Amino acid sequence: GTGQNGIAAATMYGPDVDMLMWDSGMTEPGGRDPDLMARQSIISGIKVPVLWSFPYSVLQNLNRFGECEVGSMGQAMTGIAEATTTAEVDKTIWAARFMKCASDIDKEFCKTNRFNATCWIERDDFTPEKPQSPHMGGQASWHPGNRVHQLQGRTLAFTILQALHEALNEWSEAPNFELPDDKWHVTTHYENIREKVLAIEPENSPCYGLSAIGLERVCKLPMKARSEWSPRPYPDLTSMRSIMPKEQVDLIDPPPPVSYQSDVFNPVLHPPPGEVDVLNIVANGPEFREVLKPHYESYYYNKVAGLDKPKQKPGKGHILTHPSGICDGTLDSFCKRDAKNDCLLNAHNDARSGIFTDSVSGWLLWNIPKVENGYILLKAETWHFRDENPKTIEWKSINNENDNRQLRGDAESGRMLGKRKQEPYCDEFRYEISINGKVKTLDKNQFTGDTSVGELGSNDGIRKQMQRVVEIITLADDPNLKGDVEVGVRIKGCKEFLYSHIYWS
């Protein structure tokens, strides 16, 4: 997820992040996309975060040439004694238990206990509609397990606590507890970092590898976005639906409701009696009260106000795929608690959601606020199939209005059976882009590029292959396009896409 979220990292992770950590090295090698993520978090947010655990070369260049504050997290294994018997494991403190074991007991005893999870706890007031799985998924041998994450989480917490301790010491040692203004006001410090980061030469910034597919502008323009992926901060403000005209939103069904409102006590989230319980220590402390509660909607997650009714007719054939509940990645999230879930206590916030659209769905519209550089991108998945949109499965014309125009042939109708291959672009395929009511129409070659290199095309069209499953469509690249902009897209002829992010600068 580094590339698609990294294009507008300050929106996707929050504009007020103090510390940004990258943890996707298992599946995303290389420095290009982590560098993009780091740069966007610096140039697009309200704060400039401390960068943590990004690839070493990325941190090195951003620190050396951009004066960014950087660091990396260890594994927290130093100081943990190796257990050679199961009895020694049982005597190890809970936070480090099963973490370092001799080889003869590691595989059969310690590794099998590094996962501690359950899908459901029986209760009197609610019974799940779907039978719950006996085991939570994802417990592969190469995955570290929740105990590893717990230990590393404590390491990260101690890093933050140490920084707070040093800050309080500096404050306590100041004459009359008075610190100079530059210790409190960091705007100049942030601006200095942003200026230096933007001045880093391309040879020292892996992000500029995106020039190979014509997307290098995202390395230097402050980008904003809306998305249906989760987790994301302030979900109501950051969804793609949040900037659609009301006429469009009303035609898209909302996410499913949650099946119940709260969980019962879950013992697997707490240490056994007699062990140190960090959550209880925090809960028994002073009540947390927010002193500053920023109104991000008014000055960061803006919306367009006062636009006329849409210049294009909103399509009726789009569907939303999005989990139930609050999926913002915080401790208070309550995600995926819907009737179709067979592991309700998994509660994982990760979802690659989006809006399905096909050749009869009609226009999909957004009102983009405060465009400054005329640059608008859309992240799409173009490999989906006809029957993934049940709303239009029987439709033969746009919006199912049967007006004898833009008919969909029988080959596009009904379900596909057997082994699937990606549906090809038909000769009738057209991709339409509307900018403030002015429509531009592209054929399949203009959209995909040279299709002789494969059905995904090359990077000569407006659709760019950024990563294996990351396709970026350039909707506008016009420095004269500024202010509030109505953007619409429509497919004709064939194909079904899913849109998950829209970006602009």
Side-chain angles (χ1 to χ4, degrees):
T2 302
Q4 51 264 55
N5 281 354
I7 291 178
T11 299
M12 296 305 301
Y13 301 110
D16 58 347
V17 170
D18 293 295
M19 187 177 192
L20 183 66
M21 180 177 173
W22 181 78
D23 183 25
S24 195
M26 180 183 290
T27 57
E28 296 186 87
R32 186 195 70 181
D33 298 317
D35 189 43
L36 166 63
M37 175 180 166
R39 292 175 69 91
Q40 279 295 330
S41 70
I42 292 166
I43 67 175
S44 299
I46 297 168
K47 296 179 179 179
V48 170
V50 175
L51 303 173
W52 212 251
S53 296
F54 282 71
Y56 178 78
S57 60
V58 172
L59 294 180
Q60 184 182 43
N61 285 338
L62 287 171
N63 175 258
R64 179 183 177 187
F65 301 111
E67 298 185 6
C68 300
E69 283 105 359
V70 304
S72 290
M73 185 172 67
Q75 300 299 310
M77 300 299 286
T78 302
I80 299 177
E82 180 179 275
T84 58
T85 65
T86 57
E88 289 181 0
V89 172
D90 292 336
K91 292 179 180 178
T92 307
I93 61 171
W94 179 251
R97 195 171 297 171
F98 307 110
M99 296 303 299
K100 185 183 285 189
C101 303
S103 58
D104 57 331
I105 65 170
D106 188 49
K107 182 177 181 180
E108 300 299 328
F109 185 68
C110 291
K111 283 187 176 179
T112 56
N113 281 284
R114 285 184 186 170
F115 293 101
N116 185 27
T118 185
C119 283
W120 186 246
I121 297 172
E122 295 299 326
R123 49 196 289 182
D124 296 332
D125 61 337
F126 177 76
T127 300
E129 179 179 323
K130 189 170 185 177
Q132 296 294 286
S133 173
H135 302 288
M136 193 172 290
Q139 298 183 11
S141 61
W142 59 87
H143 287 168
N146 57 287
R147 293 188 186 278
V148 173
H149 288 300
Q150 175 181 266
L151 186 62
Q152 292 184 356
R154 293 192 177 195
T155 304
L156 186 61
F158 274 112
T159 302
I160 296 171
L161 289 172
Q162 182 179 0
L164 288 172
H165 183 259
E166 291 178 4
L168 289 172
N169 279 344
E170 185 174 349
W171 191 5
S172 67
E173 293 169 1
N176 298 318
F177 303 103
E178 295 179 357
L179 290 172
D181 285 347
D182 62 359
K183 294 292 184 180
W184 295 106
H185 304 292
V186 293
T187 300
T188 301
H189 178 60
Y190 287 167
E191 289 175 348
N192 174 65
I193 292 175
R194 290 186 178 115
E195 181 179 340
K196 285 182 167 56
V197 166
L198 287 172
I200 296 176
E201 296 294 334
E203 59 264 28
N204 293 316
S205 180
C207 181
Y208 283 96
L210 288 166
S211 61
I213 55 172
L215 290 176
E216 68 277 4
R217 295 191 73 191
V218 299
C219 300
K220 53 191 175 184
L221 292 179
M223 303 290 293
K224 290 190 176 182
R226 298 293 184 270
S227 176
E228 295 297 342
W229 272 35
S230 62
R232 63 179 191 274
Y234 319 108
D236 291 340
L237 301 181
T238 53
S239 74
M240 297 179 83
R241 291 159 288 145
S242 71
I243 57 170
M244 287 181 175
K246 184 179 184 302
E247 296 89 340
Q248 182 71 81
V249 175
D250 289 344
L251 296 172
I252 300 176
D253 292 335
V258 296
S259 297
Y260 62 103
Q261 299 301 317
S262 62
D263 291 323
V264 296
F265 177 78
N266 188 348
V268 303
L269 298 179
H270 298 267
E275 300 289 345
V276 176
D277 190 332
V278 175
L279 286 178
N280 278 345
I281 294 173
V282 174
N284 286 327
E287 181 181 354
F288 175 72
R289 295 183 178 89
E290 287 186 281
V291 177
L292 299 175
K293 193 172 183 179
H295 298 283
Y296 288 123
E297 186 172 7
S298 64
Y299 69 93
Y300 193 82
Y301 295 113
N302 307 112
K303 295 182 180 180
V304 174
L307 278 186
D308 297 332
K309 69 177 185 178
K311 296 177 175 61
Q312 304 295 347
K313 182 178 181 179
K316 301 177 182 178
H318 313 290
I319 63 168
L320 172 71
T321 66
H322 197 285
S324 63
I326 300 172
C327 304
D328 62 359
T330 68
L331 185 64
D332 296 322
S333 66
F334 195 73
C335 186
K336 298 181 180 177
R337 304 306 213 285
D338 57 85
K340 296 181 179 180
N341 194 341
D342 67 354
C343 191
L344 288 165
L345 293 183
N346 184 325
H348 201 300
N349 284 210
D350 183 37
R352 299 180 179 184
S353 307
I355 297 172
F356 275 120
T357 184
D358 59 35
S359 59
V360 293
S361 296
W363 286 103
L364 187 59
L365 306 173
W366 295 274
N367 291 330
I368 309 296
K370 298 184 178 181
V371 173
E372 296 180 359
N373 296 291
Y375 197 46
I376 304 174
L377 307 174
L378 188 61
K379 190 255 176 181
E381 298 173 2
T382 67
W383 60 81
H384 290 277
F385 292 91
R386 170 72 186 89
D387 59 4
E388 292 184 69
N389 185 351
K391 197 172 190 179
T392 64
I393 194 71
E394 302 296 337
W395 292 12
K396 292 292 188 69
S397 62
I398 291 176
N399 287 332
N400 199 32
E401 293 178 346
N402 297 317
D403 57 2
N404 295 319
R405 293 178 294 170
Q406 302 301 330
L407 295 181
R408 174 158 59 189
D410 290 338
E412 271 284 317
S413 301
R415 292 182 176 272
M416 293 183 61
L417 302 176
K419 187 176 180 180
R420 293 184 164 192
K421 294 182 179 179
Q422 184 172 340
E423 294 179 358
Y425 286 87
C426 60
D427 291 338
E428 296 78 20
F429 174 84
R430 297 293 183 270
Y431 195 78
E432 293 187 323
I433 303 169
S434 175
I435 303 293
N436 290 332
K438 185 177 180 180
V439 178
K440 179 180 180 180
T441 302
L442 298 94
D443 62 25
K444 66 175 183 178
N445 290 329
Q446 291 170 317
F447 179 76
T448 65
D450 181 8
T451 55
S452 66
V453 301
E455 285 301 336
L456 284 179
S458 70
N459 287 303
D460 296 328
I462 66 165
R463 186 209 62 84
K464 312 294 185 181
Q465 193 77 30
M466 183 177 176
Q467 291 179 289
R468 182 177 61 86
V469 292
V470 182
E471 301 170 83
I472 304 296
I473 301 170
T474 302
L475 302 182
D477 190 355
D478 177 4
N480 296 316
L481 182 64
K482 298 180 183 296
D484 298 334
V485 178
E486 181 190 284
V487 175
V489 293
R490 181 168 69 171
I491 304 169
K492 287 184 178 180
C494 59
K495 297 293 286 183
E496 173 155 317
F497 294 173
L498 180 141
Y499 298 122
S500 62
H501 299 66
I502 189 166
Y503 319 90
W504 69 92
S505 177

